[in-house]
Amino acid sequence: MAASSDTAPKTNAKTTGDDGGHSAGLSRWLVVAIPYLWLAIFFVAPFLIIFKISLSDTAIAIPPYTPVFEGFGAIGDFVSQLDFENYVFLTDDPLYIEAYISSLKIALVSTVLLLIVGYPMALAMARASSTIRPTLVMLVILPFWTSFLIRVYAWIGILKPDGLLTLLLHAIGLMGPDDQVQIFRTDTAVYIGMVYSYLPFMVLPLYSALEKMDHSLIEAANDLGCPPWKAFWKITFPLSLPGVIAGSMICFIPITGEFVIPDLLGGADTLMIGKTLWTEFFGNRDWPLASAVAVVLLVLLVVPIMVFQNQQKKVA
Amino acid sequence: MAKTLGPVKRKFSPWMDPAAEPFIRFENITKRFGTFTAVDNLTLDIYEREFFSLLGPSGCGKTTLMRMLAGFEEPTEGRILLQGKDISNVPPYKRPTNMMFQSYALFPHMTVEKNIAFGLEQDKLSKGEIAGRVEEMLKLVKLEQFAKRKPNQLSGGQRQRVALARSLAKRPKVLLLDEPLGALDKKLREETQFELMDIQHSLGLTFLIVTHDQEEAMTVSDRIAVMDKGVIVQVATPAEIYEAPNSRYVADFIGDINIVEAAVKETRSALGAPGLVELDSKGLSLAVEQECAAVRGDTVAFAIRPEKVRISADPPLDRSVNAVHGEVWDIGYLGDFSVFIVKLEDGRVMRAAQANVSRLVDRPITFGDMVWLTWPVEAGLVLTR
Amino acid sequence: MKPSRFDATVLALCFAFLYAPIVILIVYSFNASRLVTVWGGFSLNWYKVMWSNQGLMDAAWITARVGVISATLGTVLGTLAALALVRFGRFPGRMLFSGMIYAPLVMPEVITGLSLLLLFVALGVDRGFWTVTIAHTTFTMCYVAIVVQSRLLTFDRSLEEAALDLGCPPVKTFFRITLPLILPAVLAGWMLAFSLSLDDLVIASFTTGPGATTLPIKIYSQVRLGVTPEINAICTILIALVTLGVIAASISTKRAELRRIRDEHLAVRNAT
Ligand SMILES: Nc1ncnc2c1ncn2[C@@H]1O[C@H](COP(=O)(O)OP(=O)(O)O)[C@@H](O)[C@H]1O
Ligand SMILES: [Mg+2]
């Protein structure tokens, strides 16, 4: 409803005359201005700063960078001092490029896995009887309320070589008593963690797209001679595409920059850009380089973010 | 007025022919949802090329019955036969029936053309054949110039036509229509009713239509089944349903009718003529010429339609007609008709309808007038159920 | 729709996948043994150990304060933002505004955290309790805005129009009519904001300073050293708190719903 017409309270004959009209105008203005300013200062301005600092030289002092740009009179200075050194460094060192590619790959594979697990789940939820559907939704949301960190941590105890999965496989005899599960600190563990942590984010948009769908459409397809599995591909799936896109974007974008999961479950060779950025920042204390890493990541994610925003606007 | 009429309709009554095979047969069908019985031990025959209506109030099980024929619901008990074959184990997508859904169920992501072609594509027809058939259907429902639109770019009436074209495209043996005209306004609905009849007649298909609108059922059907709480109360032609309802329920559901409680005083049967039933209704003596199973002392209902009651300021001369005296309490002016609400001397109320044959604003009979209501013995009905 | 066995199996497997790790974690917090893989009998020992861990308790206290303050601020700002989005039609920069609401929902936390930190440094603000609180307010307000927005979109405008028609000025109408009706969504937004703040590790790590170590930061630094029953214990308590909160909230909204339905029935019965 983005284009809804301006239907905000209008003062009519009853209120013109007293100060109702004036104060309404002011309060109306404040309603927009307060959150707008807050986000401009704490969300948009930081991006300008991060961009600026990514163009600075590294220094030893804290804050560990020498500013490129002081005051507003020095635009000329700024341009002449522009320094793409950090970006050049990013492209020179194959480690960074590999980290970006590997992040995108892990995010893509995770998103596909999430779709494979999440779609049947959302479909089963949407097809459940309407009496138990609210409970199922509640059950999907509940883990989302409990801490992300804790949920990832819980998997360490399961996936460790001497962890519960090994124990379970020993118990049911699928594995010899001397073998151990070698998943912890590998990419497989990262994928398990991603699917586990992001599943609610994938299932909920899919569910809301599927649940809205009129069941008589499927019946109409069957009635016209289309068997159920074919009706799924011709009707259900195309109509759920907005949910598929929303769910995929909601998962893909943050997964690309994910830090906690690769750090706790991944191995030394699990390359993810969130981890790289963290190391540059906290380990090497190279703030400008970390900023450059962040700016490039942001640029990579601009298109998915735009897709996501469009989708959200359509839904609203 | 310029509208062309379809071919002349012949008298069509296969149900009177004991040798005729029913096309569709519902045999002792029961459908329960949990403990709730939606359709209760129902048996019904429908013949080929018949335009058959299921009529009844909302929730009486009409849709459920139709959905069992289409294959979306399984009967809890009983069988459904199509051309003598039990179709219980045939899935919906293999049944030779097509349904026009109450909500139309048009595929929102496909154009009008694609919607109509959908069923044909399932039959693996050739491209050319499909295109030809789609064009034919578009012409039939007069939507040629809308072929490339999506359903949300159409008006309600146009959507209804697409839904009709889509369900007709496969030339089903039986077309099922679930309240097909419910969402249209009155004028469009009436026009479409006649178009439906033309289409049914020219394609020679069997139509089974669900409706809760009695006028619609009367207009379009060869026969009507009146349903109540999962059972069929009466199956008959529209004229029979109107003129000879078999129960208070049917009489009350179809059209306007006066119904009073009465006790049978005497039943007489004369040779060669229908019998005469004499009734007593709280002191009023009424006579009805009708064969009926009631015997002396039974409590029955006496019913008469308002348009069969004559209203007049003068007492009747003919002593053989029924006559009651009362005061005009209210007048409803309907344009073509006026309905007089008359309060009888014992306080009961009766309605009489009179065609407004002359262009007078002030009618000769008005509020407060003392009037006589009269009707001949063959106009009323004795209802034993 | 017929309940299919396939659907039931899918649901069972997926919910098992979602809940098994949490259940295992809770069970092992009562394990007497220090080894995760060995069940040494039931014990509350780790809760005692946790309780006497001063660092953990301090972090919990800081986290709770950050959570309450940032959730409250975020709820106010988010509700205003939702009103601006739903009610104010077009205003200059509306596109940018809705972009600023949606982007933080998916923005990788490392970017948000780093950029906020650089802002605080550029402004010369000392990092600590308040910088974390502001950072949390900024990203939680967007979640609140989404929750409240979806409620406002289904809100019957004629209720407000009726109040205005009866002579109630707009601001008063908001507090007397609109706010009471969207209150459940606002409260749900607060709870969501609080739990997100409670949960956040990455943004807090970037924006925190000396003396403002939050619980996730504390847990993270211990988790890196391995699984310990003590962490299981604190995680269990956190899960229990959040679950209780969510269940209490959903029961109270269901009660309110039931009460409303009953009142409506009574009103109808009295009227007829
Ligand atoms: N899938 C279902 N589950 C439970 N009850 C149903 C179902 N479908 C229909 N019913 C019930 O069966 C009765 C008949 O419904 P329906 O056939 O749709 O009525 P109609 O079409 O005559 O209005 C209604 O009371 C309805 O509530
Ligand atoms: Mg129906």
Side-chain angles (χ1 to χ4, degrees):
Chain A
M1 211 83 21
S4 74
S5 62
D6 187 349
T7 44
K10 289 205 182 67
T11 48
N12 61 10
K14 279 174 196 137
T15 47
T16 39
D18 32 288
D19 67 10
H22 184 72
S23 77
L26 180 69
S27 54
R28 216 180 106 86
W29 190 82
L30 283 177
V31 169
V32 182
I34 295 173
Y36 207 133
L37 275 180
W38 183 283
L39 286 172
I41 296 172
F42 294 111
F43 187 70
V44 177
F47 283 114
L48 303 179
I49 294 175
I50 205 173
F51 184 66
K52 183 188 117 181
I53 288 172
S54 70
L55 298 168
S56 315
D57 290 324
T58 311
I60 310 301
I62 291 183
Y65 60 88
T66 53
V68 171
F69 174 66
E70 296 285 357
F72 289 92
I75 304 278
D77 279 2
F78 172 63
V79 174
S80 67
Q81 284 177 20
L82 269 187
D83 184 352
F84 291 94
E85 173 188 48
N86 293 309
Y87 293 96
V88 173
F89 187 70
L90 282 187
T91 49
D92 277 356
D93 191 338
L95 179 74
Y96 294 101
I97 295 176
E98 271 169 35
Y100 282 117
I101 291 173
S102 152
S103 295
L104 289 174
K105 189 199 93 191
I106 289 178
L108 191 70
V109 174
S110 303
T111 307
V112 172
L113 289 174
L114 277 159
L115 270 174
I116 293 172
V117 178
Y119 204 105
M121 186 176 181
L123 194 63
M125 283 169 66
R127 291 200 293 215
S129 87
S130 59
T131 44
I132 64 164
R133 257 183 261 156
T135 315
L136 294 177
V137 173
M138 183 74 181
L139 282 174
V140 174
I141 295 176
L142 202 59
F144 165 75
W145 286 86
T146 61
S147 169
F148 188 74
L149 182 61
I150 292 174
R151 281 180 295 140
V152 176
Y153 160 75
W155 277 99
I156 300 179
I158 297 173
L159 296 179
K160 281 196 316 178
D162 60 344
L164 289 162
L165 187 58
T166 304
L167 230 61
L168 179 74
L169 292 180
H170 285 173
I172 58 177
L174 275 180
M175 196 183 248
D178 301 324
D179 295 330
Q180 287 184 327
V181 177
Q182 301 300 339
I183 291 180
F184 185 51
R185 298 228 167 277
T186 65
D187 284 2
T188 310
V190 174
Y191 287 127
I192 292 175
M194 296 286 188
V195 172
Y196 179 69
S197 305
Y198 284 89
L199 193 57
F201 293 95
M202 182 57 96
V203 169
L204 290 176
L206 285 175
Y207 169 77
S208 73
L210 288 168
E211 193 241 12
K212 267 200 301 245
M213 225 173 67
D214 184 358
H215 184 67
S216 65
L217 293 180
I218 305 298
E219 286 184 345
N222 291 344
D223 185 65
L224 293 165
C226 193
W229 60 271
K230 219 168 140 196
F232 171 80
W233 286 112
K234 294 205 122 182
I235 313 292
T236 313
F237 189 74
L239 287 175
S240 67
L241 271 181
V244 171
I245 295 173
S248 302
M249 292 302 136
I250 290 175
C251 295
F252 179 84
I253 301 166
I255 288 178
T256 310
E258 184 56 57
F259 162 73
V260 176
I261 295 170
D263 187 62
L264 290 181
L265 299 179
D269 54 346
T270 304
L271 269 183
M272 283 203 75
I273 203 66
K275 233 175 95 180
T276 311
L277 190 152
W278 185 280
T279 315
E280 285 311 332
F281 184 85
F282 289 104
N284 305 340
R285 308 201 60 84
D286 190 341
W287 292 19
L289 187 62
S291 301
V293 170
V295 169
V296 174
L297 176 58
L298 198 58
V299 169
L300 286 178
L301 292 179
V302 158
V303 173
I305 289 176
M306 303 277 263
V307 173
F308 168 72
Q309 297 229 356
N310 269 331
Q311 200 67 42
Q312 290 303 301
K313 260 176 229 153
K314 257 185 252 156
V315 173
Chain B
M1 283 282 161
K3 224 176 135 254
T4 52
L5 296 172
V8 176
K9 312 236 159 104
R10 296 269 143 73
K11 188 164 163 50
F12 172 75
S13 51
W15 52 90
M16 304 294 282
D17 175 6
E21 275 287 313
F23 195 58
I24 304 162
R25 160 160 249 178
F26 293 95
E27 204 173 87
N28 303 101
I29 292 290
T30 297
K31 176 70 188 176
R32 289 190 204 93
F33 295 109
T35 56
F36 176 77
T37 307
V39 175
D40 194 1
N41 193 23
L42 178 150
T43 298
L44 175 66
D45 287 341
I46 297 172
Y47 293 87
E48 192 163 12
R49 292 168 177 253
E50 199 175 352
F51 202 136
F52 194 96
S53 296
L54 292 172
L55 177 64
S58 194
C60 70
K62 308 179 297 285
T63 301
T64 306
L65 192 60
M66 179 173 273
R67 286 168 59 82
M68 286 191 281
L69 179 54
F72 301 128
E73 306 281 2
E74 253 175 79
T76 316
E77 285 160 27
R79 320 186 284 167
I80 300 174
L81 306 177
L82 186 71
Q83 288 178 306
K85 281 197 282 289
D86 187 352
I87 54 168
S88 304
N89 293 323
V90 182
Y93 53 92
K94 287 194 183 143
R95 291 195 186 192
T97 59
N98 280 143
M99 182 156 175
M100 189 181 144
F101 287 74
Q102 197 166 359
S103 61
Y104 305 152
L106 297 179
F107 305 128
H109 57 307
M110 296 181 192
T111 59
V112 167
E113 219 171 36
K114 281 277 164 202
N115 263 286
I116 297 175
F118 188 90
L120 302 170
E121 283 165 5
Q122 307 311 316
D123 286 353
K124 309 247 162 24
L125 295 184
S126 76
K127 278 237 164 67
E129 226 171 323
I130 293 177
R133 195 82 77 82
V134 168
E135 200 169 321
E136 184 191 333
M137 284 299 136
L138 283 169
K139 205 146 110 205
L140 185 72
V141 297
K142 306 189 188 74
L143 284 175
E144 292 100 321
Q145 66 271 48
F146 297 101
K148 301 277 185 239
R149 293 222 193 154
K150 292 267 181 76
N152 62 4
Q153 298 164 318
L154 300 175
S155 72
Q158 289 164 341
R159 274 180 223 178
Q160 183 265 340
R161 281 153 187 280
V162 179
L164 180 63
R166 186 178 73 178
S167 51
L168 278 173
K170 293 185 78 166
R171 297 273 161 75
K173 286 186 178 157
V174 188
L175 183 69
L176 310 174
L177 304 107
D178 191 356
E179 312 226 356
L181 314 178
L184 306 184
D185 59 57
K186 194 167 189 305
K187 194 110 197 269
L188 194 54
R189 197 159 66 214
E190 281 167 6
E191 274 173 35
T192 318
Q193 284 165 7
F194 285 100
E195 278 172 17
L196 276 181
M197 290 162 73
D198 281 349
I199 290 172
Q200 189 256 349
H201 199 75
S202 58
L203 298 183
L205 302 178
T206 308
F207 275 27
L208 175 58
I209 183 172
V210 157
T211 178
H212 65 255
D213 177 347
Q214 41 122 345
E215 274 178 48
E216 186 169 294
M218 303 282 281
T219 310
V220 299
S221 323
D222 292 315
R223 281 192 305 159
I224 299 173
V226 181
M227 289 183 68
D228 179 30
K229 300 196 191 90
V231 298
I232 288 181
V233 189
Q234 185 171 17
V235 185
T237 62
E240 281 168 343
I241 294 265
Y242 189 79
E243 301 295 357
N246 69 356
S247 59
R248 275 177 232 205
Y249 179 82
V250 176
D252 205 23
F253 192 75
I254 311 280
D256 197 7
I257 199 158
N258 295 297
I259 298 185
V260 292
E261 296 291 318
V264 177
K265 263 197 309 204
E266 197 154 354
T267 56
R268 272 187 267 160
S269 47
L271 269 178
L276 195 69
V277 186
E278 283 179 20
L279 304 168
D280 173 71
S281 175
K282 289 200 204 151
L284 281 180
S285 284
L286 305 168
V288 183
E289 193 182 273
Q290 186 186 342
E291 275 319 333
C292 100
V295 296
R296 196 171 159 163
D298 280 0
T299 307
V300 295
F302 168 76
I304 182 149
R305 303 230 176 245
E307 77 275 8
K308 295 187 170 57
V309 178
R310 234 177 71 79
I311 185 165
S312 152
D314 310 315
L317 298 173
D318 183 356
R319 305 297 303 172
S320 73
V321 301
N322 296 285
V324 293
H325 195 227
E327 182 188 358
V328 175
W329 201 253
D330 204 351
I331 305 174
Y333 177 71
L334 304 177
D336 47 356
F337 267 91
S338 288
V339 177
F340 295 86
I341 297 174
V342 175
K343 196 169 172 193
L344 306 186
E345 277 152 359
D346 59 12
R348 281 184 289 178
V349 169
M350 204 161 173
R351 278 164 318 205
Q354 203 169 45
N356 293 325
V357 287
S358 59
R359 284 186 60 239
L360 289 175
V361 175
D362 290 320
R363 300 269 142 205
I365 296 173
T366 183
F367 303 100
D369 287 0
M370 297 305 289
V371 290
W372 286 93
L373 301 179
T374 57
W375 62 92
V377 287
E378 66 276 8
L381 262 174
V382 175
L383 299 171
T384 50
R385 283 208 278 152
Chain C
M1 190 69 209
K2 286 159 231 138
S4 97
R5 196 170 315 152
F6 175 77
D7 286 357
T9 315
V10 166
L11 287 177
L13 285 177
C14 287
F15 283 119
F17 175 63
L18 279 177
Y19 283 92
I22 299 174
V23 172
I24 289 168
L25 186 143
I26 293 172
V27 168
Y28 275 84
S29 74
F30 297 108
N31 188 358
S33 158
R34 175 159 266 287
L35 292 167
V36 185
T37 42
V38 182
W39 181 253
F42 181 86
S43 152
L44 290 175
N45 182 35
W46 302 110
Y47 290 84
K48 270 186 240 137
V49 173
M50 174 202 84
W51 191 252
S52 52
N53 181 336
Q54 195 55 42
L56 217 54
M57 286 299 115
D58 288 347
W61 175 231
I62 289 171
T63 304
R65 279 188 303 156
V66 169
V68 169
I69 298 173
S70 69
T72 308
L73 276 175
T75 302
V76 172
L77 289 166
T79 305
L80 291 178
L83 279 170
L85 280 178
V86 177
R87 286 301 161 78
F88 288 9
R90 260 161 282 159
F91 52 85
R94 190 184 194 283
M95 279 283 284
L96 174 65
F97 188 61
S98 69
M100 291 193 298
I101 298 287
Y102 288 119
L105 303 180
V106 289
M107 190 60 69
E109 288 171 321
V110 284
I111 300 184
T112 314
L114 177 62
S115 64
L116 269 166
L117 162 75
L118 297 176
L119 173 81
F120 292 135
V121 171
L123 294 175
V125 183
D126 282 341
R127 278 166 289 140
F129 181 84
W130 284 105
T131 48
V132 178
T133 307
I134 287 175
H136 282 185
T137 304
T138 307
F139 83 91
T140 57
M141 72 173 273
C142 300
Y143 284 87
V144 176
I146 299 299
V147 172
V148 177
Q149 181 193 23
S150 64
R151 173 69 186 93
L152 280 174
L153 283 172
T154 60
F155 187 89
D156 183 3
R157 282 304 297 273
S158 59
L159 294 173
E160 286 172 358
E161 284 161 1
L164 293 171
D165 184 67
L166 294 168
C168 185
V171 178
K172 205 163 151 202
T173 298
F174 174 78
F175 285 104
R176 296 274 308 269
I177 309 291
T178 318
L179 190 58
L181 287 171
I182 62 169
L183 199 61
V186 174
L187 292 181
W190 188 92
M191 284 201 45
L192 181 60
F194 181 74
S195 90
L196 287 167
S197 166
L198 211 64
D199 190 14
D200 169 65
L201 163 71
V202 175
I203 295 176
S205 297
F206 278 101
T207 51
T208 191
T213 305
T214 63
L215 198 52
I217 298 177
K218 195 87 192 166
I219 292 176
Y220 173 71
S221 63
Q222 296 208 7
V223 163
R224 291 198 53 123
L225 306 176
V227 176
T228 67
E230 198 181 335
I231 294 294
N232 284 358
I234 184 122
C235 291
T236 301
I237 288 186
L238 278 176
I239 291 170
L241 280 179
V242 170
T243 309
L244 281 180
V246 172
I247 289 173
S250 72
I251 287 176
S252 80
T253 49
K254 196 158 275 173
R255 273 241 194 92
E257 186 93 336
L258 284 179
R259 199 174 322 124
R260 212 198 65 221
I261 291 170
R262 205 190 50 213
D263 288 352
E264 278 169 9
H265 274 240
L266 276 180
V268 169
R269 206 173 315 146
N270 290 344
T272 48

